[in-house]
């Protein structure tokens, strides 16, 4: 009986499934340890492939960690960007953004625990990947803010500072929701309510930033 080779599309789909399985297995293992202590063989064994098979998908554990960062923060950036561009109403933006963060934390807690821990962890490429993604987020938000009528006259560095404040608050909110856990309904409600109020406070402050003239740069 002749063997029919797999079609290219089938092989690619299998490769993607294995890659995703490696990422999912690593997240499960990372519930009990840091990325710096995670072994390549340990991850490969959890998926049922050889260490050589692991290298068909990642150059090593740091490369896998970077992929986890990009998948998590990249998708979140895209979704929040959609919220920012779909409406100019500040209250709706704030409410939808906080709701989105809370939903992502509830649906993918392992990803965000990994991000919060590894932001100051021992694997330099992963720390840098997280910083890069947050910088990209700030840059994209800066572009959105620059188009706002009420922010005309702002210096570019001030717009970037404002964007950074919004991003920092989102990170703080994610960390607080993770610490509260999925069953802390009242605490989760308090955290999301506080997040909305803080984002609103940043917005109110920005409205009066130029009231006394151009602030000093330092």
């Amino acid at each position: 009986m002749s063997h029919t080779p797999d079609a290219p599309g089938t092989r690619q789909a299998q490769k993607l499934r294995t890659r995703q399985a490696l990422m999912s297995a690593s997240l499960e293992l990372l519930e009990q340890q840091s990325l710096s202590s995670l072994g390549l063989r340990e991850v490969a064994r959890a998926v049922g492939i050889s260490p050589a098979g692991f290298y068909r998908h990642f150059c090593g554990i740091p490369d896998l960690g970077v992929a986890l960062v990009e998948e998590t923060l990249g998708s979140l950036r895209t979704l929040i960007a959609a919220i920012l561009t779909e409406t100019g109403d500040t209250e709706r933006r704030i409410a939808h953004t906080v709701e989105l963060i809370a939903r992502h934390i509830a649906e993918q807690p392992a990803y965000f625990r990994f991000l919060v821990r590894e932001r100051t962890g021992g694997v330099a490429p992963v720390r840098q990947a997280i910083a890069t993604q947050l910088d990209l987020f700030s840059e994209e938000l800066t572009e959105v803010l620059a188009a706002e009528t009420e922010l005309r006259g702002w210096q570019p560095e001030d717009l970037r500072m404002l964007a950074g404040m919004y991003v920092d608050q989102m990170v703080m909110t994610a960390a607080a929701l993770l610490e509260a856990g999925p069953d802390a309904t009242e605490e989760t409600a308090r955290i999301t309510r506080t997040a909305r109020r803080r984002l609103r406070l940043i917005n109110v402050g920005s409205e009066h930033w130029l009231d006394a003239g151009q602030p000093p740069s330092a």
Side-chain angles (χ1 to χ4, degrees), residues 101-121:
I101 293 171
R103 185 168 69 248
H104 264 55
I105 294 294
E107 293 175 350
Q108 301 177 339
Y111 277 94
F112 287 93
R113 271 194 293 272
F114 161 76
L115 290 172
V116 169
R117 182 174 61 244
E118 297 302 328
R119 190 183 183 192
T120 56

Side-chain angles (χ1 to χ4, degrees), residues 69-97:
V69 170
E70 292 176 347
E71 178 173 288
T72 306
L73 287 180
S75 63
L76 186 61
R77 277 176 37 228
T78 299
L79 291 170
I80 292 180
I83 290 173
L84 296 176
T85 55
E86 76 180 7
T87 176
D89 183 271
T90 301
E91 288 300 319
R92 288 181 62 189
R93 282 179 174 179
I94 290 173
H96 289 180
T97 298

Side-chain angles (χ1 to χ4, degrees), residues 85-184:
T85 55
E86 76 180 7
T87 176
D89 183 271
T90 301
E91 288 300 319
R92 288 181 62 189
R93 282 179 174 179
I94 290 173
H96 289 180
T97 298
V98 173
E99 288 168 7
L100 178 64
I101 293 171
R103 185 168 69 248
H104 264 55
I105 294 294
E107 293 175 350
Q108 301 177 339
Y111 277 94
F112 287 93
R113 271 194 293 272
F114 161 76
L115 290 172
V116 169
R117 182 174 61 244
E118 297 302 328
R119 190 183 183 192
T120 56
V123 181
V126 175
R127 287 201 313 273
Q128 183 57 50
I130 294 171
T132 296
Q133 286 292 321
L134 293 177
D135 282 344
L136 285 171
F137 196 179
S138 291
E139 289 174 9
E140 291 166 359
L141 184 52
T142 299
E143 292 180 5
V144 172
L145 295 174
E148 300 290 327
T149 302
E150 58 269 25
L151 297 179
R152 287 176 181 170
W154 278 51
Q155 295 298 315
E157 61 269 26
D158 291 338
L159 287 171
R160 180 59 187 266
M161 177 182 65
L162 178 59
M165 293 173 68
Y166 282 124
V167 171
D168 287 345
Q169 180 56 51
M170 293 177 200
V171 172
M172 289 172 56
T173 300
L177 288 169
L178 276 173
E179 186 174 349
D183 300 322

